[in-house]
Amino acid sequence: MTSDVHAPPVNSPRKSPPRSPRRARRGQAMVEYSMINWVLIVGLVIGATVRIRWTDDRQTNVIDLFLEAYQIYYDSFYFVLNLPFP
């Protein structure tokens, strides 16, 4: 004797809807953005800390050169503002 009652279907795990191409591109752009930023930051840190031999008697890094240039810039303003001319 067979019964006409059917067992409920087995629920398979729900599959998420496929990702839209726009979302996939956004993820790729974020990865590229992160990689480019990492390369730039590491390059700037290494480039700023490495001492460069400009001449035989002068060896400094890029940060020291920027600070020296800023000091000259600031001194020039101070000099011009303190001139005796009206």
Side-chain angles (χ1 to χ4, degrees):
M1 192 164 178
T2 62
S3 68
D4 291 332
V5 178
H6 298 288
V10 177
N11 290 336
S12 62
R14 284 188 148 185
K15 292 184 179 178
S16 60
R19 290 189 172 184
S20 67
R22 183 176 178 190
R23 184 171 182 168
R25 281 184 299 207
R26 185 174 60 193
Q28 179 183 355
M30 288 300 294
V31 170
E32 291 173 0
Y33 174 76
S34 300
M35 289 172 46
I36 289 171
N37 278 339
W38 184 85
V39 167
L40 287 175
I41 290 171
V42 168
L44 287 173
V45 166
I46 291 173
T49 57
V50 171
R51 293 200 172 270
I52 300 171
R53 180 173 294 226
W54 300 102
T55 60
D56 290 335
D57 60 340
R58 183 173 179 147
Q59 181 179 0
T60 88
N61 62 15
V62 176
I63 301 250
D64 290 337
L65 290 174
F66 276 119
L67 289 174
E68 183 181 340
Y70 181 72
Q71 185 65 43
I72 292 169
Y73 180 73
Y74 179 78
D75 288 344
S76 67
F77 273 115
Y78 187 74
F79 176 76
V80 169
L81 289 174
N82 287 317
L83 286 174
F85 306 118

